[in-house]
Structures are given as structure tokens and as C-alpha cells.
Amino acid sequence: MTGDVSALQLVLSGDPGLFAIVRLSLLISLSAVLFAGLIGVPVGAFIALTLFPGREGVIVVLNALMGLPPVVVGLAVFLALSRSGPLGSWGLLFTPQAMVIAQTVLVAPIIAALTRQTIEDLWVEYRDELAAMNIGPAGRVATLVWDARFSLVTALLAGFGRAAAEVGAIIVVGGNIEGFTRTMTTAIALETSKGDLPLAIGLGIVLIFIVILINALAWAARRAGERTAG
Amino acid sequence: MFNRRILLAALALGIAAAAPASAQEKSIVVSSTTSTQDSGLFGYILPLFKSKTGIDVKVVSQGTGQALDTGRRGDADVVFVHAKSQEEKFVADGFGVKRFPVMYNDFVLIGPKSDPAGIKGSKDVGTALKTIMAKGAPFISRGDKSGTHSAEINLWKASGVDIEKEKGPWYKSIGQGMGAALNTASASSAYVLADRGTWISFKNRGDLIIAVEGDKRLFNQYGVMLVNPAKHPKVKKDFGQLFVDWLVSPEGQKAIANYKINGEQLFYPNASDAGA
Amino acid sequence: MSMHAPSHDLPLMFVEAGILAGEVTILDNISLTLNAGAPTVLIGPNGAGKTTLLRAAMGLIPVTHGRITWGGNETAAPARRAFVFQRPAMLRRSTEGNVHYALAAAGVPHGQRYDRAAELLTLVGLDGFGSRPARRLSGGEQQRVALARALARDPAVLFLDEPTASLDPHATKAIEDIVSNVAARGVKVVMSTHDLGQAKRLAGDLVLLHRGRLIESGPAAQFFADPRTEEASKFIAGELLI
């Protein structure tokens, strides 16, 4: 990419460099949301449905973790994945996988906390009916997660928004390597530091547009689903 | 639903894993400075190196201090920075194999067109800095332990100022990269020390101009080192050494000399100067 | 719905059963036997313990004193019991989906669920409602979905907690017709109400509760014609029991 053309022009002309950056951004953030969902939804559901000592404390901590500073997550994952760190032998530092890991760590608490709230509310509503139908613990979780799926989409979207917007974690663990670990947000940070503010703003507009598009798609899916399930 | 999810997860894993697997075969990680990256030098010379050797060079650009630390932790295969004394310490501590001088560019003292310190056109950077301090003209320091930052500290020292003790509200340490420092200077009409390469390719100059240039003390030497495989066995020493060798070879040196912006040469190869 | 042999859930016996919540007595020393046959209707003022008695009979809450036995057993697996709550919660699914869920929970094989669901929806008068989201139905319609869900369990005993409490007369009539229909098919209905008229219309046996205690129980005709206790007389006369 050269700095003289605006990002919007690059989009319109199908610039392959920009396309690769957008593609990588989406791949990383969507993968992170997927993994964070696979972790966060069951954990949130478990906390919602289980009484154990210290549960209130866990909920407070989980809610607080929603505000984890990305750069702290980045640093922690960096230290873990560094060749001098405990997971150094994986050789993942400065790779897209490291970025997925960092964003998963960042997003999982958000999804878990919102899932916990959603499932707990629905559980209060369903509790008697499920007991009367003699539904066991596993079936309970499956039913609540399935019936709350449209609300859980909102939790996943919140996670995606957070992942797609953050730069602090992925720039530390990804290294912003051109053509390899450069995403929209790290490119924006770089172009800002190079003083190419129009390109940075252009990239920012592309980023916002994509986030809006994904939210719109998810919203449409949610509305369509609600029409049949209520 | 769960089957579909697992499928998706597997798919995402597959994609994420496949992307680097092909590139990881022949690639090295080079930790370098923001100045080499932001100036566009790598964008010009790395494709030449790749077409010759087939090796992908992944550049993580950081301040010199952080770049050396990345090497120290073994997270890079090659370190390519500009702070000679720190580089020599890096090698002496056993983290680098051997330091090779590669090239130099120079620093320029940037300031607002209005020139509140009245130093424009001076050839003596020491006097210029003392004037800035005397007049309390705003000055932006990188403050990030980068090569440029340590060059700035050395310049204050050479002009007889202990900047840590004598700095006032006019001296703002921002702890960020070269581009951010220039953006800040541009927005606040301040003086700032910059490497010429970043300055030439910097786009958001606003009212900034070169106030002082050409002083020998503004000389900025770059060195390259292979991270010591004895400390970090995972270092890709063969590919890394190939890159180091290429940079100091006649071919690499020529590539560096050929990189120009607006007809202006940014870096001057000097691998043959053993004392550099 | 299939007819079935008398269930092992009956007779359902409360033996000196009591429930305490902390210091508060909710049910006090209840001894009561529920046999197969016409519906048993629980009456009594609000707070008398009707809902708690129904839930305990379903096995949803344990007794703190005495015991409850189902066909002589103290194990409470509610395989052949079903419950319609006063304000039933609709699952966030279609009307049909709600019934399918209950059929699946009752272990009805997948292949039979479509026919059974259609049958049940016809029984409760919700033909053509199958694809509507259950949560968007009216209160009376939701009550009928809850009935269909309960009947999906092919219950031997069906508990109904104030099934018409907030319904208009038209919807009440519809529910009462379904209850009579179900009872006629051999399902033991145990329900609570504070509508005396409803008790007269549906009850085979009556149980009067007051302040957690069983005041009087027996055949409905005798209860209304010749109440044995002062509380029963007052209640029938429409006076407040305090």
C-alpha cells in the first residue's frame, strides 16, 4: 500500500494488500470469538446454573474481567509465548495464532459474563417447567443455551466488537508484520505513526463499515429467528 | 447445532494453522527499529532478498531498546538496530553472535517554521540544543529507549547538559515511536530529533521544517546481529546468517544505496568501515 | 392419548407430611390419600398452602416432616406425573416446538413426535397454532400449550395450579372442557382453585386447606351439602377465612 491513495479508493480498486489485511482481521477476530464462545458460553452457563462456594466472587471477578486492558492481555500472552516463556516451544509468537489466542483471552470473559447473566435470567423463568419435565443437568444446559441463542448472539457480537476494535493485544503478540500479522487496527496504528492520517482514517472507516455490516447480518438473523421462536 | 459448531471451529483452526504453515518453512523474524520500517527501506530491499534466497523476512519494528529485548528473549532471529553501544553490550552479554556495521543515515533536528529558538540553519547541534533549553522552546523527546532517544540523550550530554536534571516543562517525553513524536511536534509546534529517513517519508509535517542538519554528531549508524543460537536453540541460524551476510555483501549494500524517496538517498551503506 | 393401566404413582399418600421454610410452617401435618378417579380439587384462601401441596405431590419440593408415597414408593421420579403451573413459562420456541420438547423429554421416539404433537394440539384446541411463537400467544392459549406439554408426558396424575386464575370466562370454559375430557380418559386430575363454582363443576373430591392445615376432605357433593367444619361452612358461604 502506498500512502497517496485513500483507503476507500483502495477498497474500490480491490487492492490485494488491503484485502489481505481485512481478511486477516476478520479471520483473527472471528476465530477468537468462536473459541471464546466455545469457552465462555459453557463457563457462563455453568456459573449460572451451579451453586458453589465463592460463586458471588467469581461473578464479580468475571464482570470485572470484561474490562481487561488489551495491552495487559497482550503482554501476558507475549510472555507466555515468548521463546523464553513457558509456551515458547510452540513457536507461536508473532504469528496469527498468537493473535487469536490473545483475543480469545480478551473476549472469553465478556462472553462468559454476558452468558451467565442471560442464562441465569432464563433459568429463573424455566426452572419449574424443566423440573416438572424431569430434565437432567446436561439437558438443562442445552435447553437454556439453545433457547437463549438469540440473546447469546448479542454476547458474541459484543465480543466481536471488542476483538475487532482492539490493537493493544495483537500488536504486542503479532508484531504488526507486513503481509503476515498486520490487521486493520495495527495498520491504522502504523499509518498514524507514519503521519499518514488520511490513510489511517480511511482504514478506520473501512473497519467501522465492516463491524456495522457484521452486526447488521447478526441482527437480521436474530430478527428472523425471533419471528419463529419468539 | 453442536456439530455445526465443532465443524466451524475445526475449519477456523485449519485456516489459522494453514496460513503460516506454508510461510514458516523458509522465514525468519527480524526485530528492527521503527525508523527502518517507517522509512520504507524494508519494503524495498526485502523483496530483493526473497527473490534471491526464497526466505521470508518478517519484520517486527520496535524501538531499539524493545527490539534488542526481543532478541534477548530469543523471539527474533536477527536484530537490526541503531545504537552502537547497546549493540556492543548485547553481543558482549552473549545474546548476539557478532555485530556487523551495515549503513548509516543521519539525524536532523526538526522544528516549527516560526523557529522560536532562532536556531534555523545552524551547523552546531550542541549550541542549538542549549539555545532551545535557554529559551524554553517546546521539545519533544521519544522517551522510549529507542536508538533515536539514546542519540538524543548523547547529544545533550555532548553539549554539556544533564537533561534528566535540567529539563523543564518545555521538555516533553512522550514514550512513543518516531512517527508519534513527529505528529506531536507538528501539533504543538515543538522541536524534535528525528532520523532523516522517517522525516523524508513522513506525511503529516504541518509547519515542521529541518532546523539543524549536517553536524557530524548527528551521524546514525546501523548494525546487524544474529541472535546467539547458543542462548536460544530455536533461532534459525542458517537463514538468519544468510540475511546478515546478504546485508553486508556488495549486493545488499547496493540495494540499500539504491533506495530513494523523491530522488533522495536515505541510507548510506558502510559495511566495509570496520570501525563504524 | 392412550389409555393405561392404573399407575404405580397411585394411590398418592401424604402421611403426616409437613413443610417448614425456616421458621414458617407452610404445610402442617397433612395426611391425605389421592386415589384414581374423578378430579380432586384443592380449595382454600390465598396462602393456604395449595400450591405447596401440589408441588410436594409432584415431587418438586421435599417434605421436612412425615412422608409422601407414590403407589407405596418414596422415590419421586415423576415419570408419569405432569404439572401445569399457575403462570406457565413458554419455551422460546414455536407452539409446536414446545410440545415437541415435552414429548422428547418424556422419551417419545423422534418419529412419533409429529403425529403426537398434532394430536395434542387438536386436543387442546390449538389447531393451526403450531408454527406461532408460543410467547406471543394470549394467556388462555399459553395455558392450553402448557396443558398439551403436560399431556405429552402421558401422565397418570396431572397437577394443575389455578389453571384459570387470570382467564376470561370463555377461555376458562375451554380449559375446563379439556380438563373434564382428560379426566374422562382416566387421568387423575389434582387441581387447585379459589373459584368455588369451578370446584363444583369439576370436583369429584374436595380438599379444604387453611393456614397449611387440612381442614376437611371428602366427596364434593357431601362437602357442599353438609360441611362438617365451621371453616368449610364459612368458605362455602363466601365469608373470609382469616
Side-chain angles (χ1 to χ4, degrees):
Chain A
M1 279 194 303
T2 53
D4 291 319
V5 270
S6 83
L8 287 174
Q9 280 172 294
L10 289 175
V11 174
L12 295 175
S13 62
D15 179 79
L18 181 70
F19 178 75
I21 286 179
V22 171
R23 183 177 159 278
L24 182 69
S25 300
L26 289 178
L27 198 61
I28 286 175
S29 293
L30 289 174
S31 304
V33 168
L34 188 77
F35 293 128
L38 290 174
I39 299 165
V41 170
V43 167
F46 175 83
I47 296 171
L49 301 179
T50 319
L51 289 173
F52 54 90
R55 179 173 179 272
E56 302 286 317
V58 169
I59 291 172
V60 169
V61 169
L62 196 60
N63 287 340
L65 288 182
M66 290 171 78
L68 264 184
V71 68
V72 173
V73 172
L75 202 54
V77 174
F78 172 88
L79 291 174
L81 293 182
S82 165
R83 280 181 190 157
S84 308
L87 307 177
S89 59
W90 295 4
L92 287 182
L93 193 66
F94 303 141
T95 65
Q97 290 97 320
M99 299 158 87
V100 171
I101 292 171
Q103 290 200 338
T104 300
V105 172
L106 190 67
V107 166
I110 296 177
I111 293 178
L114 295 176
T115 298
R116 201 272 313 162
Q117 187 65 57
T118 302
I119 296 287
E120 202 169 308
D121 290 349
L122 195 61
W123 172 229
V124 169
E125 203 182 312
Y126 277 20
R127 150 179 255 149
D128 283 340
E129 301 286 356
L130 297 191
M133 286 190 257
N134 200 22
I135 307 290
R140 221 178 282 162
V141 172
T143 302
L144 290 165
V145 169
W146 178 248
D147 282 18
R149 63 196 181 280
F150 300 115
S151 306
L152 294 181
V153 164
T154 308
L156 295 179
L157 279 181
F160 174 75
R162 172 98 159 144
E166 75 90 18
V167 60
I170 50 173
I171 206 163
V172 174
V173 301
N176 193 22
I177 297 168
E178 185 172 12
F180 187 56
T181 58
R182 184 162 300 168
T183 66
M184 280 187 281
T185 54
T186 62
I188 289 168
L190 178 68
E191 296 307 332
T192 304
S193 79
K194 283 158 95 173
D196 195 341
L197 304 188
L199 181 54
I201 288 286
L203 279 166
I205 292 170
V206 172
L207 175 62
I208 291 166
F209 176 75
I210 287 171
V211 171
I212 290 175
L213 189 71
I214 286 180
N215 272 275
L217 288 174
W219 182 252
R222 180 181 172 151
R223 292 307 294 263
E226 279 181 336
R227 232 165 281 139
T228 59
Chain B
M1 167 192 67
F2 287 107
N3 284 341
R4 215 181 312 155
R5 273 204 176 164
I6 290 163
L7 199 72
L8 274 173
L11 201 69
L13 259 180
I15 293 166
S22 50
Q24 230 161 20
E25 287 306 311
K26 273 187 112 180
S27 73
I28 54 170
V29 172
V30 174
S31 72
S32 186
T33 63
T34 46
S35 55
T36 38
Q37 174 85 338
D38 292 3
S39 66
L41 175 70
F42 281 135
Y44 178 73
I45 65 168
L46 293 184
L48 297 174
F49 176 68
K50 184 172 181 186
S51 72
K52 183 178 166 71
T53 60
I55 298 171
D56 249 320
V57 178
K58 295 174 193 156
V59 180
V60 180
S61 67
Q62 302 162 324
T64 294
Q66 197 189 350
L68 283 166
D69 190 57
T70 300
R72 211 170 281 131
R73 303 184 59 88
D75 291 324
D77 304 304
V78 171
V79 179
F80 186 12
V81 293
H82 59 103
K84 191 174 173 185
S85 58
Q86 289 184 54
E87 292 162 32
E88 283 168 341
K89 184 170 186 310
F90 184 79
V91 173
D93 290 348
F95 292 108
V97 175
K98 183 176 188 307
R99 173 185 177 274
F100 297 90
V102 178
M103 62 189 189
Y104 69 88
N105 67 348
D106 62 343
F107 290 112
V108 287
L109 186 58
I110 303 295
K113 214 176 270 170
S114 58
D115 193 22
I119 56 174
K120 192 158 69 186
S122 161
K123 295 276 177 228
D124 180 350
V125 70
T127 311
L129 286 175
K130 274 195 271 191
T131 313
I132 289 172
M133 182 172 79
K135 300 206 172 171
F139 184 92
I140 303 297
S141 169
R142 291 275 296 273
D144 61 350
K145 293 195 172 170
S146 61
T148 308
H149 183 215
S150 60
E152 179 214 313
I153 290 169
N154 288 338
L155 286 172
W156 286 110
K157 208 181 286 172
S159 52
V161 176
D162 183 348
I163 190 62
E164 273 309 307
K165 279 193 183 142
E166 299 179 48
K167 68 185 176 193
W170 54 275
Y171 183 92
K172 293 179 183 67
S173 174
I174 64 167
Q176 295 187 68
M178 194 68 257
L182 283 166
N183 277 331
T184 309
S186 169
S188 57
S189 291
Y191 293 93
V192 61
L193 187 72
D195 65 281
R196 190 184 291 271
T198 306
W199 168 250
I200 289 174
S201 50
F202 186 71
K203 295 209 162 53
N204 184 35
R205 290 184 185 179
D207 269 346
L208 296 179
I209 53 160
I210 293 179
V212 179
E213 63 182 327
D215 189 317
K216 271 192 184 154
R217 283 172 289 183
L218 291 169
F219 189 88
N220 181 27
Q221 177 67 41
Y222 285 81
V224 69
M225 291 146 291
L226 179 69
V227 175
N228 195 348
K231 283 256 185 196
H232 296 290
K234 294 235 164 185
V235 166
K236 296 175 182 165
K237 57 173 188 282
D238 297 334
F239 295 155
Q241 192 61 49
L242 265 178
F243 181 61
V244 172
D245 290 347
W246 182 80
L247 277 178
V248 300
S249 72
E251 190 184 341
Q253 294 277 293
K254 187 158 168 279
I256 291 167
N258 283 346
Y259 179 58
K260 293 187 171 81
I261 292 177
N262 304 329
E264 209 171 330
Q265 181 174 345
L266 266 68
F267 297 94
Y268 298 86
N270 66 343
S272 52
D273 181 356
Chain C
M1 241 185 9
S2 60
M3 298 298 291
H4 37 75
S7 158
H8 57 75
D9 272 340
L10 293 172
L12 199 168
M13 294 179 71
F14 283 71
V15 183
E16 295 173 359
I19 291 181
L20 288 175
E23 301 284 291
V24 184
T25 302
I26 313 283
L27 286 182
D28 185 7
N29 199 28
I30 303 277
S31 290
L32 174 68
T33 303
L34 299 170
N35 285 305
T40 297
V41 176
L42 310 181
I43 54 173
N46 281 336
K50 302 190 294 290
T51 297
T52 306
L53 190 144
L54 287 172
R55 285 174 179 250
M58 177 70 187
L60 293 176
I61 42 178
V63 292
T64 43
H65 299 82
R67 59 201 169 93
I68 301 176
T69 59
W70 291 269
N73 298 311
E74 281 193 57
T75 52
R80 300 290 305 278
R81 301 192 289 277
F83 202 111
V84 175
F85 295 93
Q86 183 173 355
R87 273 183 295 274
M90 293 292 105
L91 303 180
R92 296 184 186 185
R93 303 173 186 223
S94 65
T95 301
E96 206 170 26
N98 269 268
V99 181
H100 275 240
Y101 183 89
L103 287 166
V108 174
H110 199 278
Q112 299 174 21
R113 288 181 209 157
Y114 276 88
D115 290 345
R116 286 293 314 276
E119 219 179 306
L120 288 165
L121 288 176
T122 304
L123 180 70
V124 299
L126 287 178
D127 273 323
F129 283 70
S131 61
R132 302 253 298 263
R135 290 155 66 91
R136 307 256 173 94
L137 300 178
S138 71
E141 288 160 353
Q142 291 195 2
Q143 203 73 40
R144 287 192 251 172
V145 173
L147 265 167
R149 272 191 329 212
L151 295 172
R153 303 183 62 73
D154 193 12
V157 191
L158 174 61
F159 298 99
L160 305 164
D161 189 7
E162 304 263 7
T164 61
S166 51
L167 301 184
D168 61 44
H170 186 77
T172 301
K173 171 82 164 65
I175 299 290
E176 286 184 6
D177 286 350
I178 298 166
V179 170
S180 304
N181 188 350
V182 167
R185 293 178 183 218
V187 178
K188 173 66 183 180
V189 172
V190 182
M191 62 180 283
S192 65
T193 184
H194 52 249
D195 175 351
L196 268 181
Q198 184 167 68
K200 277 181 187 161
R201 288 190 294 277
L202 294 177
D205 289 308
L206 267 177
V207 176
L208 174 64
L209 292 175
H210 182 41
R211 290 183 175 173
R213 285 180 303 113
L214 194 153
I215 303 298
E216 188 167 334
S217 70
Q222 185 202 321
F223 179 89
F224 284 111
D226 183 19
R228 282 166 294 165
T229 57
E230 192 190 341
E231 286 96 334
S233 310
K234 278 182 156 183
F235 195 74
I236 293 166
E239 287 175 41
L240 281 176
L241 285 186
I242 296 170

